[in-house]
């Protein structure tokens, strides 16, 4: 006869609901208890029946995540964290790219709401009011965005920016140019808070290679000795612009990024940047979603950032 969840519960000496949580929301079960359940599951060869579980719990076993730009290496890293934690809970992940369009983002959430148990919104460009409306439609967790009453995971952008400025100042730089990202981006606002007026802000640019290339051309006119880019893609564009104009990095101008994507360590010179715990953020977002599905209140988790110093920064000449 097939092994049932009751067989697992009996041998692990826990309730059926604890077995269910250990398999579907591991963050809500003590490590020792979860491990005991998993050992019994492995020993008995128990295979959860997703269709049966859906009928019993009213849940689909699916989670959704919407990102603004899947071509930006920052977001696949977040997605990897979501998939890792969801996989531990035997849940599937549907992901969508809103292409930096708020209307598309809202429509994607509405469409997925009937097919998933909850949605993770990453770096949302929606208004607070629209996010609250969507959170009433389906359990919702935000990454890098704060909206009262909605669960969120934050990577500390303001602290990261402060670390960048402190590093550049320690090298002797006094005139910085900030290559700003989208004006509507919450993360851009947080970076500006971290700068606290200590850099010349060059307005808004597309948060990609081309946007950084264009912004660096304008920044050269300011006389700044260090460029602080909104993200690594813009910093890579800035490095390309400076190389094309014969400006040496870091001898003549220092350049910093934000995110610590894979290419930051591979470019030449290797990029000084702020490491963002993207995979951790994805995992924590799933934990918060599981807590909401279990009837818990909205929560906020803050994750630290840290500066990674590489070859693109040096003392000004």
């Amino acid at each position: 006869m097939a092994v049932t969840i009751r067989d697992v519960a009996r041998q692990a000496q826990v309730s059926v609901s604890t077995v269910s949580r250990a398999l579907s929301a591991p963050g809500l079960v003590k490590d020792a208890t979860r491990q005991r359940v998993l050992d019994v599951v492995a020993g008995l060869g128990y295979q959860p029946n997703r269709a049966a579980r859906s009928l019993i719990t009213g849940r689909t076993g699916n989670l959704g995540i919407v990102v603004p730009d899947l071509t930006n290496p920052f977001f696949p890293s977040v997605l990897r964290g979501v998939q890792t934690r969801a996989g531990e809970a035997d849940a599937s992940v549907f992901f969508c790219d809103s292409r930096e369009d708020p209307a598309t983002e809202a429509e994607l959430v509405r469409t997925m709401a009937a097919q998933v148990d909850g949605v993770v919104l990453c770096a949302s460009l929606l208004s607070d009011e629209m996010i609250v409306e969507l959170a009433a439609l389906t359990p919702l967790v935000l990454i890098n965005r704060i909206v009262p009453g909605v669960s969120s995971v934050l990577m500390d952008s303001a602290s990261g920016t402060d670390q960048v400025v402190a590093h550049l100042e320690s090298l002797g730089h006094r005139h910085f140019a900030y290559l700003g990202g989208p004006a509507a981006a919450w993360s851009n606002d947080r970076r500006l808070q971290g700068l606290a007026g200590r850099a010349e802000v060059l307005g808004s640019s597309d948060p990609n290679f081309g946007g950084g290339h264009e912004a660096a051309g304008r920044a050269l006119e300011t006389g700044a000795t260090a460029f602080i880019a909104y993200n690594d893609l813009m910093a890579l564009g800035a490095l390309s612009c400076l190389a094309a104009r014969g400006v040496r990095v870091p001898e003549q101008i220092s350049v910093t990024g934000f995110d610590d994507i894979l290419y930051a360590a591979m470019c030449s010179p290797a990029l000084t940047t702020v490491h963002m715990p993207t995979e951790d953020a994805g995992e924590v977002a799933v934990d918060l979603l599981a807590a909401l599905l279990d009837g818990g209140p909205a929560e906020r988790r803050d994750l630290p950032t840290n500066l990674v110093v590489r070859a693109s920064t040096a003392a000004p000449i």
Side-chain angles (χ1 to χ4, degrees), residues 2-73:
V3 177
T4 70
I5 192 171
R6 294 185 183 279
D7 297 325
V8 175
R10 187 179 305 111
Q11 185 160 325
Q13 297 183 328
V14 297
S15 67
V16 169
S17 61
T18 297
V19 175
S20 178
R21 281 195 297 271
L23 297 176
S24 63
L28 301 179
V29 180
K30 292 181 180 179
D31 290 344
T33 302
R34 176 174 174 269
Q35 190 57 54
R36 187 164 76 251
V37 170
L38 293 179
D39 289 342
V40 172
V41 166
L44 295 179
Y46 172 65
Q47 294 292 327
N49 185 315
R50 178 170 291 179
R53 185 193 303 168
S54 177
L55 289 173
I56 294 170
T57 65
R59 298 180 185 176
T60 65
N62 303 320
L63 305 178
I65 177 171
V66 181
V67 302
D69 181 10
L70 203 53
T71 65
N72 184 335

Side-chain angles (χ1 to χ4, degrees), residues 261-275:
I261 62 174
L262 176 65
Y263 307 122
M266 299 168 61
C267 63
S268 182
L271 185 64
T272 293
T273 185
V274 175
H275 175 75

